[in-house]
Amino acid sequence: MKKLAGRLLHHFTNHETALNAGPHCSQGTDQGTSGLCHRKDLNMPSQGVHLHIHDRYVVMDNGILQVTLSKPGGIITGIKYNGIDNVLEVRNKETNRGYWDLHWNEPGGKGIFDVISGVTFRVIVETEEQVEISFIRTWDPSLEGKYIPLNIDKRFIMLRGSSGVYSYGIYEHLKEWPGFELGETRIAFKLRKDKFHYMAVADDRKRIMPFPDDLCKGRCQTLDYQEASLLTAPCDPRLQGEVDDKYQYSCENKDLRVHGWISFDPPVGFWQITPSNEFRSGGPLKQNLTSHVGPTTLAVFHSTHYAGKTMMPRFEHGEPWKKVYGPVFIYLNSTANGDDPLCLWDDAKIKMMAEVESWPYSFVASDDYPKSEERGTARGRLLIRDRFINNDLISAGGAYVGLAPPGDSGSWQIECKGYQFWAIADEAGYFSIGNVRPGEYNLYAWVPGFIGDYHSGTIVTVTSGCMIEMGDIVYEPPRDGPTLWEIGIPDRKASEFFIPDPDLTLVNRVLVHDQDRFRQYGLWKRYTDLYPNDDLIYTVGVSDYRRDWFFAHVPRKKGDVHEGTTWQIRFNLENIDQKANYKLQVAIASATLAELQIRVNDAEAIRPLFTTGLIGRDNSIARHGIHGVYMLYAVNIPGNRLVQGDNTIFLKQPRCNGPFQGIMYDYIRLEGPPS
């Protein structure tokens, strides 16, 4: 069964090409068309920006597009562009078209969903070059329990000649206000379902999408959770039998720069561009939702997805806090007649790169958003010392190096109150972290190919216009002795392990390529198919982790219940030093209400040599995440637990109340004694 890999790609290639073509594409191709797209707005004369204020609405108009917002609520009710009176879903209520929202709760209380509506409208800037407007909701004690105790200032900006609108928000909690927990905050757009049928999230994830009606009763079958549906009677018969699941289109922050939708008639693109990750929670590897059936487009600033409650910040009474989310850019584009509408995706990527280069923006009016000259830079070189690999220092090429609020090692993964700034080191290990907001930070890093986290507890104070020279920084990855054997690649993901083919009746055909295989629905069930009675056994020196190590350590389904599973690592050792300690390094890419028990040479031992206890709320197995919050465990194995010749390490995951409880391993290594 494990040799099915590759057959899916051949099986679905023709169908996928037809779907990507769409009903209005003459060539039926989904290949890049960069350079073939002639944007109509580039030929339009540039007129000034005008602001029209009415009793219940305000309209920003620069001749390219008109954006209408409710007054004083600040809900985007309409966007007029390229002959379309409103690209937003006109059948929805005005409060369900383009809006900021959040999900919060009082400490220990029930969650509350809130579409943020302003109570005060202000004009911040009004010139022919730029309009910036503000919608503020202030908080006072009479609102306790009804609204989150924050002052929220939503801002919108339109520039001359710009084919889009910017938005950012300023959240502030005063110290005398009550505490709260923030689960999520974002901007959401609901587009016209009669126009926008083609979605693009990445070059390898773009396609004709199901209609929202396809997710209604009678047209689909809900699968193991409500977000996943099997299309049984879709409006477009070419989608018959496919799975739709919004989590299949999630993306890591570092890659989540642009996504959106294309209308074929008229050819119009609607894109959400995020030029910086500084205001997003969780650092560069945090995964967030993007676009999905609706047609819906999201700008997610903070969420608990792929991390769980550890990612939910708690603000105490007496704790002042202020944060700026954004700006993000809502970009619209169109093509001249005869151009392939799919080239709008390529144009959106070019525009995204221009926005990234323009960060931080010079035109934002708030004093809470520092301009380029008000920010600082930190630079240096990261080197690695691992005497069991090389007696010399090793350059940390490709390392992720960042400044984040002070905390413990790896705390940047779940940090969600402040700002983070990251850079990737060059081949020699040199890094430069630019455009850092003034403040106090710790320096963090991790290096692909090495386990663990670098963390400097020294406070790095960034001031306006500063250049901080950090010099050479040496990271010593956790290690006690030479490598006896290893499984996997230390890259914080489980993607190098065996990813099975999905059930042929539960396929999303746009995800059949190798780099997206892990995103297919229901892969956790395939463990039971492949190991119906006995668990995985991996033999060092014989097995290959790419085909013999299942990507997720999950329960086995037996009838209507699940049972815990125990994996074995078999290996041979000579010249055992029974008086010394051996070290098992276990790097975990994700865990969901799981437990890892480790036994050596005695599977029935009542007490394991080591247990993690209950760990993880990532839910990455169900949400196709391939990783969540990284954890590293160093397990001492006394030499007298080992024997000359054949040995076995037993990895038991006993938690089995449901199919999604499990562990994704990143990397496992057995080290010999230090000598």
Side-chain angles (χ1 to χ4, degrees):
M1 295 182 71
K2 295 184 180 181
K3 296 184 178 180
L4 289 175
R7 291 171 57 187
L8 274 175
L9 183 61
H10 174 76
H11 184 74
F12 290 122
T13 296
N14 292 336
H15 187 93
E16 178 193 356
T17 301
L19 279 176
N20 284 332
H24 304 284
C25 301
S26 57
Q27 299 301 316
T29 177
D30 195 27
Q31 304 302 310
T33 53
S34 182
L36 300 180
C37 189
H38 302 91
R39 275 177 36 210
K40 293 174 64 176
D41 57 280
L42 292 179
N43 301 319
M44 298 178 63
S46 176
Q47 72 174 50
V49 188
H50 297 287
L51 179 64
H52 306 283
I53 302 175
H54 307 285
D55 289 340
R56 297 178 54 240
Y57 301 96
V58 293
V59 180
M60 296 187 292
D61 184 355
N62 67 358
I64 299 174
L65 75 164
Q66 296 175 359
V67 178
T68 301
L69 301 101
S70 64
K71 171 176 165 282
I75 307 294
I76 299 179
T77 63
I79 300 177
K80 184 177 182 180
Y81 177 75
N82 193 44
I84 303 178
D85 285 340
N86 196 350
V87 301
L88 304 182
E89 182 51 77
V90 294
R91 301 177 192 178
N92 285 4
K93 293 181 179 179
E94 290 189 344
T95 54
N96 189 27
R97 296 179 185 177
Y99 54 89
W100 285 70
D101 68 30
L102 54 82
H103 192 273
W104 72 286
N105 59 269
E106 296 178 303
K110 294 183 178 180
I112 300 172
F113 175 74
D114 179 14
V115 173
I116 304 167
S117 183
V119 296
T120 303
F121 165 71
R122 293 188 301 158
V123 178
I124 306 299
V125 177
E126 185 178 8
T127 70
E128 288 202 346
E129 299 302 316
Q130 172 182 345
V131 164
E132 179 169 339
I133 53 179
S134 164
F135 302 86
I136 299 176
R137 187 176 78 186
T138 55
W139 192 88
D140 64 62
S142 69
L143 301 174
E144 186 168 357
K146 182 178 181 182
Y147 291 118
I148 188 170
L150 289 174
N151 286 336
I152 298 178
D153 184 355
K154 300 183 299 180
R155 301 282 186 99
F156 299 88
I157 302 171
M158 180 177 283
L159 304 178
R160 179 198 287 266
S162 175
S163 184
V165 61
Y166 298 86
S167 186
Y168 68 105
I170 306 167
Y171 290 22
E172 182 177 25
H173 179 253
L174 302 185
K175 64 179 182 179
E176 61 268 24
W177 290 351
F180 67 94
E181 294 175 335
L182 180 63
E184 182 177 77
T185 189
R186 64 187 187 176
I187 306 176
F189 291 93
K190 308 292 181 65
L191 307 181
R192 286 181 60 162
K193 66 181 182 180
D194 63 331
K195 296 289 185 184
F196 293 92
H197 302 150
Y198 189 96
M199 188 182 81
V201 171
D203 285 336
D204 56 4
R205 285 188 289 166
K206 50 184 180 175
R207 63 169 303 167
I208 291 288
M209 291 292 287
F211 286 85
D213 296 354
D214 293 338
L215 305 186
C216 296
K217 185 177 180 180
R219 291 191 176 274
C220 73
Q221 173 190 339
T222 301
L223 298 174
D224 283 3
Y225 47 89
Q226 63 180 4
E227 294 89 350
S229 300
L230 176 65
L231 306 180
T232 55
C235 300
D236 186 337
R238 295 174 297 176
L239 298 174
Q240 176 75 29
E242 288 216 40
V243 168
D244 178 75
D245 182 347
K246 67 180 181 180
Y247 293 112
Q248 292 177 324
Y249 302 104
S250 296
C251 192
E252 294 176 346
N253 283 343
K254 66 183 178 63
D255 302 318
L256 184 45
R257 297 293 198 184
V258 58
H259 58 91
W261 293 81
I262 293 174
S263 161
F264 291 111
D265 185 19
V268 165
F270 184 98
W271 310 102
Q272 194 277 302
I273 294 176
T274 304
S276 171
N277 288 320
E278 68 179 47
F279 44 81
R280 282 175 169 160
S281 299
L285 300 186
K286 173 67 170 66
Q287 296 161 96
N288 279 310
L289 293 174
T290 58
S291 292
H292 57 79
V293 167
T296 298
T297 289
L298 303 174
V300 179
F301 304 123
H302 166 74
S303 81
T304 59
H305 287 140
Y306 304 97
K309 290 184 178 180
T310 57
M311 198 71 191
M312 181 180 291
R314 179 167 183 162
F315 297 88
E316 305 290 346
H317 173 80
E319 179 181 359
W321 176 72
K322 180 183 282 190
K323 187 170 184 177
V324 177
Y325 292 108
V328 297
F329 184 47
I330 308 308
Y331 176 59
L332 288 89
N333 57 1
S334 57
T335 69
N337 290 334
D339 282 348
D340 184 350
L342 299 186
C343 72
L344 294 171
W345 165 243
D346 297 283
D347 175 71
K349 291 187 294 181
I350 294 170
K351 183 61 176 174
M352 174 271 292
M353 291 186 287
E355 295 297 314
V356 170
E357 289 296 316
S358 299
W359 187 271
Y361 295 132
S362 60
F363 52 80
V364 177
S366 173
D367 292 336
D368 293 309
Y369 177 84
K371 308 301 188 292
S372 179
E373 63 275 11
E374 299 172 308
R375 297 173 178 238
T377 299
R379 62 188 184 187
R381 180 171 63 161
L382 184 65
L383 301 168
I384 299 170
R385 178 181 288 121
D386 188 334
R387 62 188 177 91
F388 292 99
I389 294 179
N390 194 320
N391 288 326
D392 299 325
L393 292 174
I394 306 168
S395 64
Y400 286 76
V401 188
L403 291 173
D408 299 325
S409 178
S411 61
W412 56 269
Q413 295 183 97
I414 56 174
E415 204 290 318
C416 39
K417 291 184 178 180
Y419 302 90
Q420 299 194 30
F421 304 86
W422 289 83
I424 299 179
D426 65 15
E427 292 183 358
Y430 288 99
F431 63 87
S432 180
I433 308 170
N435 294 317
V436 182
R437 298 174 62 111
E440 293 186 342
Y441 304 90
N442 281 170
L443 185 71
Y444 303 85
W446 68 276
V447 188
F450 296 87
I451 62 174
D453 283 271
Y454 172 81
H455 171 237
S456 171
T458 303
I459 296 295
V460 179
T461 301
V462 176
T463 58
S464 178
C466 73
M467 172 64 75
I468 300 175
E469 299 287 353
M470 309 198 76
D472 287 351
I473 299 164
V474 178
Y475 171 47
E476 298 188 36
R479 180 187 283 277
D480 280 14
T483 299
L484 300 181
W485 50 258
E486 58 187 352
I487 300 172
I489 301 170
D491 61 358
R492 297 178 177 245
K493 301 179 181 180
S495 51
E496 71 269 26
F497 298 124
F498 178 69
I499 310 292
D501 289 321
D503 184 321
L504 291 178
T505 66
L506 298 171
V507 173
N508 182 324
R509 295 182 179 97
V510 82
L511 304 175
V512 297
H513 303 285
D514 283 344
Q515 65 270 27
D516 289 316
R517 289 172 60 84
F518 68 87
R519 300 184 189 277
Q520 293 284 0
Y521 173 83
L523 297 184
W524 58 88
K525 299 180 180 181
R526 300 288 285 122
Y527 181 80
T528 299
D529 295 339
L530 296 171
Y531 301 94
N533 299 305
D534 300 314
D535 283 322
L536 182 151
I537 298 175
Y538 187 93
T539 303
V540 173
V542 176
S543 302
D544 184 339
Y545 63 78
R546 293 169 294 184
R547 65 170 186 266
D548 299 317
W549 189 271
F550 198 77
F551 80 103
H553 192 164
V554 292
R556 176 189 294 103
K557 189 172 184 181
K558 282 288 188 180
D560 294 330
V561 300
H562 293 82
E563 63 182 20
T565 51
T566 302
W567 293 8
Q568 299 181 36
I569 304 174
R570 296 180 177 177
F571 57 99
N572 185 278
L573 286 182
E574 302 295 337
N575 304 317
I576 302 295
D577 185 349
Q578 293 195 339
K579 295 182 179 180
N581 281 326
Y582 292 69
K583 185 80 73 174
L584 186 69
Q585 303 280 5
V586 182
I588 291 178
S590 177
T592 302
L593 296 173
E595 178 182 2
L596 175 60
Q597 298 177 356
I598 296 178
R599 293 173 172 83
V600 178
N601 288 329
D602 184 0
E604 304 302 324
I606 296 175
R607 296 185 62 181
L609 176 67
F610 171 84
T611 179
T612 61
L614 183 64
I615 57 172
R617 290 181 175 269
D618 299 355
N619 212 15
S620 299
I621 293 170
R623 291 174 173 168
H624 331 293
I626 211 62
H627 71 90
V629 177
Y630 176 84
M631 293 175 280
L632 178 64
Y633 296 94
V635 181
N636 281 319
I637 302 179
N640 58 17
R641 293 287 188 102
L642 301 169
V643 299
Q644 193 85 3
D646 293 334
N647 292 266
T648 303
I649 290 176
F650 299 91
L651 307 177
K652 183 174 183 178
Q653 200 299 100
R655 309 280 180 157
C656 54
N657 291 325
F660 308 128
Q661 290 180 272
I663 291 169
M664 294 184 189
Y665 299 98
D666 167 44
Y667 173 77
I668 301 176
R669 178 173 74 211
L670 181 65
E671 299 169 359
S675 60

